[in-house]
Amino acid sequence: MLCQFSFQNFRSYRGETTLDFQAAALPEFQETLIASGHATSLLPVNVVYGPNGGGKSNLLAALACVISTVVHPVHDLGKNRQTFVLQQQVPVAPFRFNETSCEEPTGFRLFFRVDAYEYGYDLAVKDGEIVSESLYRKALGGKKPAMIFEREADAIELGYSIRRQSINRKVNPKMPYISFLAINYDLPVINEAMQWFEGCILQSYARPPMYASLPFLQDESQKQALIGALNDMDIDIMDIRFDEGQQRLYTQRRIGPASYELSFDEESDGTQKLITVLPVILLALREGRMAVIDELDAKLHPKLLRYVITLFQNPEVNRHGAQLLFTSHDMYTMKNTVFRRDEIWFAAENRAHESEIYSLYEIRGEDHQRIKNTAAYDKQYMEGRYGADPYLSNLLGGDFS
């Protein structure tokens, strides 16, 4: 489970930027939170709104970048411990709109939980080479984290849990050391950290990848789960099959005693989207994974988008601590009946063309009071009261009643 993600000098983001999944002390929807004993409860969902070009996709790309940087060397050698779902690898790209940022490293920092531990991972990359890297771990509720390893350029220091004579401290400058350890050694603490990285699902559905659900449809139980979810959405597909000879996907419906088939290409854009996105959503819920999806709302009816969101917010469905991070333009779901205030984020560029993010919970009105959980979030956003709107000049002022 992701606790917090920070990064700097990546694409449209120059300064340090932090996205938080740690729940604030708010009264609404407490039953939806992911509790972890004595540690801070975590949010099951975060959504990012904002104008085109504001930085929504780049925020998700930053998270995809650090995850793919860590996992790809392991995956390429077939050493991954579980199925890794990544639409495409995201390269490191620094902020371009000043003279100094291109000469500075791009930095990432992650805090995440696996079972009884919270991990902190830092990575800095410049010109394709690792500048610095570290991994720490502490017990949930504990105060002092233990160092697993620290790396500065080619100098590597090992912590007590992996300090062995046989472990090689020389590694390719382009490879993360955590990846090197995962490939070459069987170390419980590294295996546990890599479990989280490999479990992340990274997808963009602005253009649904054709037949992306095929690997999941090869498992009968997963196929039936997909069909059941579609039926819950009043999409009456009775079966889905892939014709090997034609290399074509078909859906089947029953009308009276007769069955009829449609090619995947003949289905509506929305149904195509659901057939591609639902398998990874169900995988995340089944195994407690993190799903990072750009433009989840594209080609989806707002009620279907809300259905997907509630799957993660329902503790009876989301029994393993799965999380969803997605971008959206859909105002129908920006409501106090759908999200907590700390689950709504905005991305926008400032006058220096630097993207910034902030949560609805952070915004204060002229009276210095926070937005109330009874406010009409969608209406106030469209009025320009929350910023992140390219057409309205009234950014953070106004009466937030």
Side-chain angles (χ1 to χ4, degrees), residues 363-372 396-401:
I363 298 175
R364 293 176 183 267
E366 292 180 344
D367 59 358
H368 302 293
Q369 298 298 309
R370 299 188 189 276
I371 306 297
K372 295 180 180 179
L396 295 181
D399 177 18
F400 302 117
S401 57

Side-chain angles (χ1 to χ4, degrees), residues 192-212:
E192 191 171 68
M194 285 300 298
Q195 174 186 335
W196 183 82
F197 281 100
E198 293 177 356
C200 292
I201 297 169
L202 310 168
Q203 299 280 278
S204 173
Y205 284 101
R207 297 180 178 177
M210 189 66 70
Y211 301 161

Side-chain angles (χ1 to χ4, degrees), residues 38-104:
H38 298 293
T40 303
S41 295
L42 301 179
L43 301 172
V45 175
N46 265 332
V47 57
V48 188
Y49 294 97
N52 291 326
K56 301 186 303 299
S57 295
N58 285 344
L59 169 63
L60 271 59
L63 182 55
C65 179
V66 63
I67 292 170
S68 63
T69 298
V70 167
V71 176
H72 251 285
V74 184
H75 179 70
D76 288 347
L77 293 173
K79 297 286 188 176
N80 45 304
R81 293 146 182 81
Q82 58 183 330
T83 303
F84 181 51
V85 182
L86 172 66
Q87 189 166 328
Q88 61 183 4
Q89 188 170 5
V90 180
V92 174
F95 183 78
R96 302 290 186 186
F97 294 145
N98 65 45
E99 297 177 355
T100 61
S101 58
C102 290
E103 305 301 320
E104 297 171 345

